[in-house]
Amino acid sequence: MTADRRLPTTNKKSSAMILICLITLVAFILRIYRLDYFSLRGDESFTVIFVQRTWEGLWKGISTIEPNPPLMYLALRVWIVIAGASEFVTRYFSLWFGVLCVPLAYRLAREMRELGGTRGTVGIIAAGLVAINPYQIWHSQDVRNYTMWPALSLLALIFFWRWLNLEVGSWKLEVGASRDKRKLISNVQRPTPNIHLSLYVLATLASLYTHYYDVFILAALNVFVFALALRGRSWKTLARWISAQIVLVALYAPWVLFGTNRITTYGEGSAEQSVSILDMFSRTISAFVLSETVPDTLRQIAWLPLLIVVIAILIVVARKNHWHAMFFSLYLIVPTLALYVISIGRPLFLERYLNGIAPAYYLVLAIGLAALWQWRSRWRVPMLALSILFFTASSAFAISNFQFDPTYAKAPDWRGLMRNITPQLGDIVVQNFTEMSPLYYLGTTTPLTTLPKDYWYTPTDEKRLQQLNSQYRRIWFIPAAPDQWDSDHLVEKFLTRNDERIGEMKAGTLRVQLYLTPREFESKIIPVNARVGDATLTGYRVENGRTSHVVLYWRATQKIAKDYTVFVHIADSSGSVIAQQDRVPAFG
């Protein structure tokens, strides 16, 4: 009889494990698909180049340059030493943690069952939502810390709930009873779960050393535990929890106080400041569910219904177990409020800076979908079908956009552009905006510099360009898009005025120009010095190959009052014209 009773439970567990493995496989396939198809974007290129510094240089850079703690950089450095620094390999580092979030989300839902009656269905649905979520897929293909952080945070929460379940034994607050009749039921025979609390401390420490904002999740947990322990008058539980927090502070405070100066000085140039709290909630929930690769109009339409659904689910959860509802509410609200406060007057808000709490949204939505699954109503099937259609269709739409629509491409075609650059001895590459991807694809054999040094062009930048003209024979120039640095295109104007452009190549939205400097072409000029109107034809040179290339060199004697057109005729010995071209000087 005993064996017969256990068999169904064993079968259910086996079926759940098989299903989670299949969902994890789907997550892996979606994340590895075209993993290295797009070029590394600027932040990715910076990260890969940054972690390949010397150990001393890397540690100094983490302390004074990078806005994130050291764990991800150190781990990625080891990974690159072992596997290499290609796009596929470096992105695989993030992919691994992104896939890991799928079974971790399932496991967290399972661990919470004793305090809320959460069934395996919630965990399976949460794992499925994470697996197909376009926002998490995008970051799983990005060489940054936005998958490592939620993975470690989920791991810490798993150990937290294991500790909490064992710490309080089989105690529960009787739901539905009056305040006077609520009882604390303790099972004193259960062992003290110090091992799980220790593992929680280690996982939380790793998460804190991956992203500074994990401290906000830690703050939410502290509020939850204090409320839980004080309500149940479980002083030993509270004492052990406080001891764990002291250990965390002792192991983390030295880095924050003495290891880095970025916490008090950092402000992200691409981030925003003083964003309203409503905008933070609306933008994060729409990003976490729909991603940022859908039209803004769709996100603006969808965020309010999504937020209402999340709040409604939390209200339903509160009716069954208010501790569960409190946990999720704190998990969602405290980090968002904290980021709102610290970003007042300082650019510190981007949606991805809250990706550590994204699993909370997926878990809450999973609870709602599981409730629909168990709902006994004629509306059950159509509501479930509509919900499944929404999540699958929106995910497919967003994934399709960033994989196939150039508007949402992760990065321009830096790889293709840099293939057009065939450097020779005496070449330098100049770009007029800050971007690390050209350096990643160019390598270290050819020098690369950025001019202007700041957003605005200054006389110092022009002096530097003059130095480059005297030092190098050829300049490869990558101009920025019109809305980026050097908006007046003064670097390009200098090169056009002083150098000879002999080619321009394009790759998607990017272009690169090749200039000969005076050091390269002046010795080849045949002097003429003929005055023509307001300009002087100083000379010319001819390059003979399969076609003849004639270059005329002009110098304006004063500001040109009208446009000129140059007629170039090539004649044979008898005076017959064999080739001609009519155009305005300087590239038309």
Side-chain angles (χ1 to χ4, degrees):
M1 293 296 291
T2 303
D4 291 340
R5 285 197 300 268
R6 290 179 179 177
L7 185 59
T9 302
T10 303
N11 289 339
K12 286 182 180 179
K13 288 183 178 180
S14 299
S15 300
M17 286 298 100
I18 292 172
L19 190 55
I20 288 301
C21 289
L22 291 175
I23 293 173
T24 304
L25 179 61
V26 170
F28 177 77
I29 293 172
L30 290 174
R31 284 156 176 77
I32 204 168
Y33 174 66
R34 304 216 304 178
L35 182 63
D36 59 351
Y37 180 80
F38 296 101
S39 303
L40 295 185
R41 65 186 184 94
D43 281 354
E44 291 182 285
S45 297
F46 170 81
T47 302
V48 176
I49 294 170
F50 180 73
V51 300
Q52 294 183 78
R53 292 180 166 198
T54 64
W55 285 107
E56 181 182 358
L58 175 59
W59 191 256
K60 183 178 180 180
I62 295 171
S63 302
T64 59
I65 299 175
E66 259 301 279
N68 294 296
L71 184 58
M72 189 277 288
Y73 302 112
L74 299 178
L76 181 60
R77 169 64 181 270
V78 174
W79 172 247
I80 286 177
V81 169
I82 296 172
S86 69
E87 299 118 309
F88 185 92
V89 167
T90 51
R91 282 178 174 161
Y92 196 91
F93 177 86
S94 296
L95 177 147
W96 191 87
F97 287 103
V99 174
L100 185 61
C101 286
V102 174
L104 288 176
Y106 167 78
R107 191 67 250 174
L108 176 58
R110 295 289 294 176
E111 292 299 333
M112 293 176 65
R113 66 189 183 278
E114 291 190 21
L115 283 180
T118 303
R119 301 179 61 180
T121 308
V122 173
I124 292 171
I125 295 173
L129 291 177
V130 176
I132 67 171
N133 183 264
Y135 192 78
Q136 302 307 322
I137 293 171
W138 194 97
H139 283 286
S140 294
Q141 296 184 336
D142 198 64
V143 193
R144 294 295 285 173
N145 57 346
Y146 297 107
T147 55
M148 185 177 181
W149 174 29
L152 292 173
S153 180
L154 280 169
L155 183 63
L157 289 174
I158 289 170
F159 290 128
F160 167 78
W161 277 97
R162 285 186 177 179
W163 165 76
L164 192 60
N165 288 331
L166 292 174
E167 176 68 34
V168 298
S170 60
W171 76 268
K172 60 183 178 180
L173 293 172
E174 295 178 354
V175 180
S178 65
R179 182 180 299 245
D180 294 335
K181 292 183 179 180
R182 289 177 181 173
K183 300 177 181 178
L184 181 66
I185 306 171
S186 299
N187 184 347
V188 295
Q189 296 179 349
R190 290 204 177 194
T192 302
N194 291 329
I195 182 63
H196 297 296
L197 187 58
S198 300
L199 292 173
Y200 161 77
V201 169
L202 291 176
T204 299
L205 193 64
S207 190
L208 288 168
Y209 272 104
T210 301
H211 203 290
Y212 289 116
Y213 289 177
D214 193 67
V215 72
F216 303 147
I217 299 177
L218 181 62
L221 283 185
N222 271 276
V223 174
F224 178 71
V225 172
F226 270 76
L228 192 65
L230 292 174
R231 178 62 186 86
R233 297 182 181 179
S234 181
W235 311 120
K236 290 183 179 180
T237 297
L238 188 58
R240 277 190 277 267
W241 176 256
I242 293 174
S243 299
Q245 304 312 295
I246 292 173
V247 172
L248 279 172
V249 170
L251 295 175
Y252 192 57
W255 167 256
V256 174
L257 296 175
F258 310 111
T260 180
N261 64 2
R262 303 303 286 151
I263 295 177
T264 57
T265 61
Y266 180 72
E268 172 58 54
S270 61
E272 299 176 52
Q273 64 184 32
S274 302
V275 178
S276 71
I277 188 64
L278 181 60
D279 283 344
M280 279 195 180
F281 275 106
S282 64
R283 289 171 55 178
T284 52
I285 192 172
S286 62
F288 294 161
V289 176
L290 299 175
S291 90
E292 297 173 311
T293 59
V294 296
D296 289 339
T297 52
L298 179 58
R299 291 181 59 185
Q300 292 169 2
I301 293 171
W303 76 264
L304 184 57
L306 287 170
L307 188 60
I308 292 173
V309 167
V310 169
I311 294 173
I313 293 171
L314 290 174
I315 292 173
V316 172
V317 171
R319 295 178 62 184
K320 295 181 179 180
N321 188 293
H322 58 277
W323 294 112
H324 234 176
M326 181 181 181
F327 169 78
F328 282 117
S329 298
L330 292 170
Y331 191 2
L332 292 170
I333 295 173
V334 170
T336 308
L337 286 176
L339 183 55
Y340 165 74
V341 172
I342 68 169
S343 64
I344 295 175
R346 189 175 170 191
L348 289 173
F349 171 72
L350 286 173
E351 289 89 334
R352 62 177 177 265
Y353 292 173
L354 286 171
N355 200 38
I357 68 170
Y361 284 103
Y362 309 137
L363 285 163
V364 171
L365 292 171
I367 292 172
L369 290 172
L372 277 180
W373 181 267
Q374 299 165 4
W375 189 26
R376 294 184 179 180
S377 170
R378 62 179 180 175
W379 296 102
R380 171 177 172 266
V381 174
M383 291 291 288
L384 267 177
L386 186 62
S387 300
I388 293 171
L389 177 63
F390 169 77
F391 285 108
T392 55
S394 61
S395 295
F397 177 57
I399 293 170
S400 175
N401 279 347
F402 76 74
Q403 289 286 9
F404 303 108
D405 188 342
T407 306
Y408 299 99
K410 177 181 284 288
D413 188 12
W414 291 112
R415 186 193 308 122
L417 184 73
M418 302 312 287
R419 286 173 181 162
N420 291 313
I421 297 180
T422 53
Q424 301 175 3
L425 186 64
D427 286 9
I428 187 172
V429 178
V430 176
Q431 59 182 10
N432 65 338
F433 59 107
T434 300
E435 175 61 50
M436 293 298 293
S437 293
L439 182 59
Y440 171 82
Y441 289 102
L442 183 66
T444 57
T445 56
T446 302
L448 182 147
T449 189
T450 300
L451 292 170
K453 289 296 184 183
D454 297 313
Y455 186 87
W456 302 107
Y457 187 87
T458 67
T460 302
D461 298 311
E462 182 155 354
K463 183 178 180 181
R464 176 59 178 156
L465 283 169
Q466 292 170 351
Q467 292 175 345
L468 296 181
N469 266 354
S470 64
Q471 293 174 359
Y472 295 94
R473 295 183 178 278
R474 302 195 307 174
I475 295 177
W476 297 85
F477 176 60
I478 306 174
D483 59 343
Q484 294 185 0
W485 289 35
D486 190 21
S487 57
D488 293 329
H489 307 284
L490 295 178
V491 173
E492 187 171 0
K493 289 178 181 178
F494 174 92
L495 295 173
T496 300
R497 188 169 62 249
N498 295 277
D499 302 334
E500 179 188 339
R501 192 174 76 188
I502 62 173
E504 180 175 75
M505 290 73 71
K506 294 184 177 180
T509 59
L510 301 170
R511 57 194 176 104
V512 60
Q513 302 167 350
L514 177 59
Y515 291 87
L516 300 181
T517 66
R519 177 179 175 180
E520 179 68 12
F521 64 73
E522 277 185 339
S523 61
K524 302 175 183 179
I525 294 177
I526 299 173
V528 175
N529 293 318
R531 179 73 178 267
V532 180
D534 296 328
T536 299
L537 177 63
T538 59
Y540 71 93
R541 68 182 178 88
V542 179
E543 292 181 1
N544 290 313
R546 294 182 61 184
T547 60
S548 293
H549 182 58
V550 180
V551 184
L552 306 180
Y553 296 90
W554 298 87
R555 178 176 289 114
T557 56
Q558 61 186 25
K559 184 176 181 180
I560 304 296
K562 61 179 181 179
D563 292 336
Y564 286 88
T565 300
V566 178
F567 300 88
V568 180
H569 295 173
I570 299 180
D572 59 15
S573 57
S574 64
S576 300
V577 176
I578 59 176
Q580 69 178 39
Q581 187 177 67
D582 306 337
R583 64 183 299 179
V584 176
F587 319 116

